[in-house]
Amino acid sequence: MSGNMLDNPGFSLRASYHHINREDEVMFGFWVFLMSDAIIFGLIFATYATMVAATAGGPGPKRLFDIGSVAIQTGALLLSSFAYGMASLALRYRSGRRKVIACLLVTLLLGFVFLGFEVHDFLTMFAKGGSPDTSGFTSAFFGLVPLHGLHVTVGSIWMVVLIVQMLRYGIDDDVRLGVQRLALFWHFLDIVWIAIFSLVYLGGLA
Amino acid sequence: MTLKHFIFGRLGLHSLPFWAAVQHPTPENIVNGVIATGAASLVIIGAVVTACLITYFGKWRYLWTEWLTSVDHKRIGIMYIVIAFVMLARALIEAVLMRTQQAFGLGGGFLFPEHFGELFSTHGTIMIFFMAMPFLIGLINFVMPQQIGTRDVSFPVMNSVSLGLTMAGAMLVMISLVLGKFSTGGWSGYPPYTEITFSPGVGPDYWIWAVSLSGIGTMMTGINFAVTIYKRRAPGMTLMRMPLFTWTALCTSILMIFAMPPLTVATVLLALDRYLGFHFFTNGFGGNMMNYANLFWLFGHPEVYILILPAFGVYSEVIPAFSGKRIYGYTSLVLATMVIALLSFVVWLHHFFTMGQSASVNETFGIATMMIGIPTGVKIYDWMMTMYRGRIRFAVPMVYSLGFMMLFVIGGLSGIVLANPSIDYQVHNTLFLVAHFHNMLIPGLLFGMLAGYHFWFPKAFGFRLNERWGMASALCWIFGFMFAFFPLYALGLLGFPRRTVAYYNPIYVPYMAIALFGAMIILAALICLVIQLVVSVMQRDQNRVAAGDPWNASALEWSVAAPSPDYNFPVLPEVTARDAFMVAKEHGMAYRPPERFTDIEMPKNSPLGMILCVTGSLAAFGLVWHMWWLVALAMLTTVAAVIWHGFVRDYERIIPADEVREDYMRWLKAVAAAEPVSREEELAHQNAGLADVHELLEAAE
């Protein structure tokens, strides 16, 4: 930002539509979207908090949760974020398409590990009599945790699409912006997971 | 499961509106069947006639390439407003039907309670989600980018997707007239009544998916507008130089970003209850319906301000323009807008004072609610001070503004009354409340939107709307409103509950009759609007305003031709002051050709919005009727379309500098040929869109 008044307010400084600092605009838009998504998670967290005791005679957290599996999920997701960080660095220092793709594939793999264990957990919970239609508590749980899982799934699909785009177009402006946005999304999901881990799992087992 | 059930789900012959009347032709069945079938036929005939006309005139390609797939913010805005008018017509007719039922409702009336329930549910849902929202989003879409001096919104394709999703929701509500029944749970869809136990039919499902589709579209719109305003202002357009309409657009967008998610959460959780047996809001198994009330009104109250703020913005443009003055108290109007936006998030509980929380909680929210009266009062005074000693012209937008100022204050006062929990206990869920919020929304929102429609219509189409029919319509709206809703205050105080189909106390009858009379006048207002549009189109050549500034207004959108060129501004303007165009006119700097023209890059059309419109409505339709194959197919197509869009690389077209120059010079010639008109001649044919600035300057001295 320079001190010139004309530079500050907007970015419509160039005559063409494309070169209005497109990157700045797209990234800002995505931040705003994440803010909106954070509200969704916040509200579902709040709903969960009001319903955690509403087990209606059904099984509660202590009976349903498996902290070992959850710890593995947590590890996989945090490591996947690290791998994504490596992809971002590779992108930033222009280390070549191959390295970016390799890092993204590691991320993807860890994402699948996370999803695999999560689905396994859900099935175990079903078997223990904790399905969504059991009680207010299980409803709230299955409203919150799978919503995060759904986000991870969408992020994974997005990652695959970006890898295919990279193979087809190389790392052009659109791919670069895509990788940067998915980075925000992926790290955001990490933060949400930490909240889930603390509030739902640790809180439930405490 | 049979094949028929697999393909059609719950859909069958019994879903048709006349089926009950055919099977069991009792008089009541026939009356209700005829009304429902008439409405369904209107939908089908309307669709068929429109399709035939488009085919007859060979306009399909034109419609597709110039409108539906266009990502031009002006065209998207106009399409939003078309949706708003179509839906307004339907929901207004429903309102008249309800008024008629209640006027004859002593001891029964002619409508079934279920039918009446559908009517108030669709009326509310449509008026909020498919009339008011499209109207204000359309207006902001059309006006805001031009006011801040840019060529399009930040995400033009997403804009088109938002339109597509809103369209899909609106279509779903229309389809519900033909197949099956809509929800009877009101526009707020409160469980447990809307749970599967009490409403096993398709009604609440129609409501859930229609509202969800438009809610997601609106959230994206909010992001789009906010980013546009933050990132795309013309050089020199600092925040405190933005026109007030843009300010209200910014606040509304921020509210959309924060307030639409609670709606999505509420409807999706309700859907999980209904479809997968969850227990979020059920009576038993630990469900808690008050969570729904909180979630819904966490959306619902900010929504009220999403609706009203853009209308305030319109008044802040219209009143100075037709008073021949600058706006009074710009800074206080900005602050008031921001304060209202902020306070809108801390009052949601006043929608359910009777929930049973402690008195001190109610008190807190009651006080917060009353505080909103302060910034709103500031605005009213600012507008009055703007008019003070101005040269006021009673053009149609100004008439709406004056009607608004008087009626809105009354509505606001009844709001202050309701904000007091102990009084609210007495009139909760009575017609007093219905009178109050109609008193806020009709003069507040709708008059503002109609004022904006008259004000910016010449900018969109290049000619002014007929003044006489416009005036007739405005007066019918204002007086019709008074007759239709003032009796409702009295009825509420007499204890008449809202959403009631019949009653047994004759004391209500005279009030109901007056209200019906008012509803008829409002219907006449709508008819006048339609006639006005037809007459205006027929007489368009006498009312052209090619020079682009018919009202001697002050913001940047008036500094270009009418209709505005695709790219809005041949060269992006540089802003040095508030009311940029007015300042330029006063200093003789307007209508000056720029030193040089450059090529302009504009976004290309994209079919994505329309693809998602079709897949969105099909997925929702499948969900409503349990046609799972259709849901899967539509969802997969949606995902495929979005992924395909990610692979599009060729999304810009170039408008060569020479073409821009030619357009501009042609317009300058039109400006040179136009005779500057004084404000007395503003409404006459000689108004070609060039204002005589000196006249007002002299008056000011």
Side-chain angles (χ1 to χ4, degrees), chain B residues 400-437:
Chain B
Y400 276 116
S401 304
L402 291 173
F404 150 77
M405 280 161 74
M406 301 188 198
L407 295 175
F408 190 78
V409 170
I410 297 172
L413 287 175
S414 70
I416 300 285
V417 171
L418 279 169
N420 187 328
S422 48
I423 299 179
D424 181 82
Y425 261 74
Q426 305 305 313
V427 289
H428 185 81
N429 263 357
T430 66
L431 285 184
F432 189 87
L433 170 79
V434 175
H436 162 69
F437 70 70

Side-chain angles (χ1 to χ4, degrees), chain A residues 69-81 110 113-114 190 193 197:
Chain A
S69 168
V70 175
I72 296 172
Q73 288 168 45
T74 309
L77 202 63
L78 293 183
L79 281 175
S80 83
S81 250
L110 288 163
V113 170
F114 170 83
D190 246 18
W193 180 258
F197 183 70

Side-chain angles (χ1 to χ4, degrees), chain A residues 15 17 24-25 136 139 172, chain B residues 151 154 231-232 279 601 649:
Chain A
Y17 150 82
D24 198 75
E25 198 172 24
S139 293
D172 64 358
Chain B
R151 296 196 169 116
S154 286
K231 295 290 184 191
R232 287 218 163 195
H279 292 290
E601 284 175 36
R649 284 297 181 274

Side-chain angles (χ1 to χ4, degrees), chain B residues 173-490:
Chain B
V173 182
M174 284 312 212
I175 290 171
S176 78
L177 269 183
V178 183
L179 296 171
K181 294 196 182 323
F182 198 76
S183 171
T184 52
W187 83 279
S188 49
Y190 268 18
Y193 177 71
T194 47
E195 291 282 0
I196 206 85
T197 327
F198 304 104
S199 302
V202 293
D205 300 327
Y206 266 126
W207 178 82
I208 287 172
W209 301 118
V211 167
S212 302
L213 281 170
S214 89
I216 294 168
T218 306
M219 191 201 75
M220 294 199 289
T221 300
I223 296 175
N224 215 339
F225 287 164
V227 175
T228 307
I229 296 175
Y230 280 123
K231 295 290 184 191
R232 287 218 163 195
R233 277 169 286 133
M237 176 71 80
T238 56
L239 285 173
M240 290 308 273
R241 284 180 188 164
M242 292 197 312
L244 280 162
F245 181 76
T246 299
W247 260 111
T248 57
L250 176 62
C251 291
T252 281
S253 319
I254 294 173
L255 291 183
M256 284 174 182
I257 294 163
F258 286 107
M260 298 320 284
L263 175 69
T264 310
V265 171
T267 54
V268 169
L269 297 190
L270 183 60
L272 286 175
D273 274 9
R274 288 181 60 86
Y275 282 81
L276 297 173
F278 280 51
H279 292 290
F280 282 108
F281 315 122
T282 53
N283 277 349
F285 298 95
N288 184 354
M289 77 75 60
M290 287 326 295
N291 277 348
Y292 182 90
N294 275 293
L295 287 170
F296 187 83
W297 291 111
L298 267 172
F299 145 77
H301 201 87
E303 166 73 8
V304 174
Y305 294 95
I306 292 176
L307 298 176
I308 210 95
L309 287 177
F312 285 174
V314 174
Y315 299 126
S316 302
E317 301 289 323
V318 163
I319 292 173
F322 290 100
S323 302
K325 281 177 66 185
R326 298 286 171 83
I327 188 82
Y328 177 89
Y330 175 93
T331 312
S332 62
L333 280 165
V334 169
L335 284 176
T337 307
M338 270 307 201
V339 169
I340 291 174
L342 201 71
L343 284 178
S344 74
F345 280 103
V346 295
V347 298
W348 81 92
L349 196 130
H350 70 215
H351 293 270
F352 42 92
F353 276 144
T354 54
M355 179 170 78
Q357 63 278 28
S358 73
S360 43
V361 172
N362 276 353
E363 209 174 307
T364 311
F365 280 87
I367 292 169
T369 305
M370 290 179 205
M371 274 165 58
I372 292 194
I374 298 170
T376 317
V378 167
K379 286 187 165 231
I380 295 278
Y381 281 111
D382 278 337
W383 291 319
M384 280 163 51
M385 293 303 285
T386 305
M387 288 168 63
Y388 179 64
R389 298 186 76 180
R391 288 183 64 184
I392 297 167
R393 289 107 61 197
F394 291 98
V396 175
M398 193 62 181
V399 171
Y400 276 116
S401 304
L402 291 173
F404 150 77
M405 280 161 74
M406 301 188 198
L407 295 175
F408 190 78
V409 170
I410 297 172
L413 287 175
S414 70
I416 300 285
V417 171
L418 279 169
N420 187 328
S422 48
I423 299 179
D424 181 82
Y425 261 74
Q426 305 305 313
V427 289
H428 185 81
N429 263 357
T430 66
L431 285 184
F432 189 87
L433 170 79
V434 175
H436 162 69
F437 70 70
H438 282 87
N439 201 342
M440 303 312 271
L441 289 178
I442 295 177
L445 163 98
L446 190 65
F447 287 8
M449 293 298 110
L450 290 172
Y453 162 71
H454 286 82
F455 190 58
W456 280 295
F457 188 93
K459 184 52 49 183
F461 296 101
F463 57 94
R464 282 176 295 115
L465 284 167
N466 181 288
E467 195 67 18
R468 191 174 301 217
W469 282 105
M471 189 66 82
S473 179
L475 294 176
C476 282
W477 272 114
I478 293 171
F479 289 102
F481 166 81
M482 294 189 206
F483 281 112
F485 291 97
F486 286 166
L488 266 57
Y489 279 119

